[in-house]
Amino acid sequence: MTEQKPTKRQDILDAAIVLFAERGYNGTTVPMIAEAAKVGAGTIYRYFDHKENLVNVLFQEKVKQLSHHLMQGYPNDSSIREQFRHIFQRIHHFAIGDSHALHFIDSHCSEIFLTEESNQVFDSFIQYICDVIEVGQKRGEIILMQTEALIGIVYGAIVQILKMLRSDVLDGSEHLMKSIEECCWNAIRSH
Amino acid sequence: MTEQKPTKRQDILDAAIVLFAERGYNGTTVPMIAEAAKVGAGTIYRYFDHKENLVNVLFQEKVKQLSHHLMQGYPNDSSIREQFRHIFQRIHHFAIGDSHALHFIDSHCSEIFLTEESNQVFDSFIQYICDVIEVGQKRGEIILMQTEALIGIVYGAIVQILKMLRSDVLDGSEHLMKSIEECCWNAIRSH
Amino acid sequence: MTEQKPTKRQDILDAAIVLFAERGYNGTTVPMIAEAAKVGAGTIYRYFDHKENLVNVLFQEKVKQLSHHLMQGYPNDSSIREQFRHIFQRIHHFAIGDSHALHFIDSHCSEIFLTEESNQVFDSFIQYICDVIEVGQKRGEIILMQTEALIGIVYGAIVQILKMLRSDVLDGSEHLMKSIEECCWNAIRSH
Amino acid sequence: MTEQKPTKRQDILDAAIVLFAERGYNGTTVPMIAEAAKVGAGTIYRYFDHKENLVNVLFQEKVKQLSHHLMQGYPNDSSIREQFRHIFQRIHHFAIGDSHALHFIDSHCSEIFLTEESNQVFDSFIQYICDVIEVGQKRGEIILMQTEALIGIVYGAIVQILKMLRSDVLDGSEHLMKSIEECCWNAIRSH
DNA sequence: AATGAATGAGTGTTCATTCAT
DNA sequence: GATGAATGAACACTCATTCAT
């Protein structure tokens, strides 16, 4: 009576992301996912055409969640410095709330089994940040350089830091995260 | 006169690194490697005990090559700024010369099938850079912060940039690389 | 109504014993068993962890069947002569009903892939006959000699005879079997 | 200077019989034989067309050696009792001198990879004993029964006993062997 | 003659996917 | 809808056999 319909589907996705993040797509078997989701192996195929479909659905869903997360409380009217801080903090917050999602996204974002659509979803996420940077460049707050390069620097740095958080190489104290955020900003701000 | 001795072994390693970099360890089958190396499947087992052994040998070899590359012409007596530039340029140079190696290293460095030895080889590479950063901190050239975090920022940024070079999102013009290097330095230098 | 449950498992065991008896463990491939059992190769692994597990399960099952067969209608209170006749006849009867089982047991009973448990099951079967012989010796019906030697003589003779029955070198007429039984008894009875 | 030509061939045969006896035909690989014989793997194919050929040559050679062994000092003019004792003792002697041969013969004599010729060689060995038994029957020293059955009993018993000697279940003391020989004779002698 | 590196068909085993229940 | 037994193609790995040296 209490359980809604799409529970099983969600159970599958929830189980899958943990396994994909920890063992990779090819290191994860469908029976593994079924067991972790407490679901029959055949049930997975009622919701997803095949394993590739599952990973693509999951990928798109998570990237969209991350994007939405970024938008929440977005300080449109503040300085680019403020916007940057917001983005950094929201990504960090997202990674705390869903400890596997960011690692899953990062470790699967250039895999060959992603569909065109999945790639587009990821690209628009990146594009979103690109846009912020471009505005920052116009306003003279950010260095003038190929935008993709700036994204790369910041994105690479953040993802690596969060990877290290996940594996407890770093503690995620507020103070440390604040310093790291500042480092990232220093990388791209105009001097 | 027709062929050197250790050709087959090298052929296998050369074929394997490309496939591992592009498809991951689990996404790469032994027959794929055999075909790419133009070698019988059984031949691979004359040189490597099993697939895990192959990936470990390859990983250690490539990390060591990268380390040696870093050392060449290392400006021991220069400023940390100079040393940092050297490291950046050498990594870049390494990535140009062996376009799959860095991606292979980065995407496999935390996989569970790596042996203790492989992990140690990678750790000493990281440690080497750590040491430089620590000296920089003592000399007041680099910001005071947990060394691992600084490494994470710089390493993450560089690897991401080189990934983008590989996939032609960025051109690797000297001018651009110089700017990127400066960005990375700005992230961690003391202001 | 169409089929019982544990059919597949039994199909596999039934197919395997024939092949193991005729070709030996190492001469029998899993695909051979699958084909003979009219079952997919993968199905075998739903019921048995691996080939060694299959041969051990089969071995223990057959030795236990043989033991039970021996017990049925066992003339506990009769003379050792009667008991010996019973054992001989029951082994013969067993071999008639399951023409591969005894050969399978005999040709695999000292193989290195048998588990400790399998060896124990076989040993208790042998021990059972040993006990009868020892009682016979105490009662003066059987010659005084190392029990193992007596077992060896009788067991070796019986197994060889049944081997020859299987390959139609001998017909298994009641008269002949009766004579053979007497020969075996004569080998060990006290004169 | 000292080494004759057919040394390598003999080395291979000597190594092969040990392995075949201990691990069976299918459990023995050609490289195993090569290593044990201290010979290159390819060398085996200079002397034997293939593995099956090797095992057949070996089988025939060993059966013939056993047959010759039986003949040596054969007491043609003695009683069948004497002849039986001779046969038993010579087989025992053969098994002592070449500890793997009898086991090899027995465990391979009904394998499907034996050629027609191998089977014939083995059959003539059996036939030889059959003839003795038949004479014994005519002279009234041996029970009247299908000769093959009598052979089976005695052959089975002897082989089993020698198997147990090999695996140290029995000690091979002269006294014990004498008793066993008598048991075997009692099995088939006319009373 | 002798070698052993090389091969690829064949082995034991796994796993994405189907389908009768 | 949900299941999990069943499948067979594909995997990692082995080994009888060949052949350049």
Side-chain angles (χ1 to χ4, degrees), chain D residues 25-77:
Chain D
Y25 174 75
N26 282 301
T28 303
T29 71
V30 173
M32 273 179 197
I33 299 171
E35 194 193 344
K38 285 172 190 160
V39 145
T43 305
I44 291 177
Y45 289 85
R46 198 158 287 284
Y47 295 102
F48 306 96
D49 289 349
H50 32 249
K51 203 185 164 194
E52 282 205 5
N53 181 227
L54 166 58
V55 78
N56 274 283
V57 167
L58 191 56
F59 183 82
Q60 291 170 33
E61 213 160 85
K62 286 299 162 180
V63 172
K64 280 175 191 161
Q65 278 178 20
L66 174 54
S67 297
H68 290 154
H69 213 87
L70 238 54
M71 310 296 191
Q72 277 177 20
Y74 195 88
N76 279 299
D77 304 326

Side-chain angles (χ1 to χ4, degrees), chain B residues 8 40 42-43 46-47:
Chain B
K8 298 257 167 197
T43 304
R46 185 163 290 282
Y47 295 101

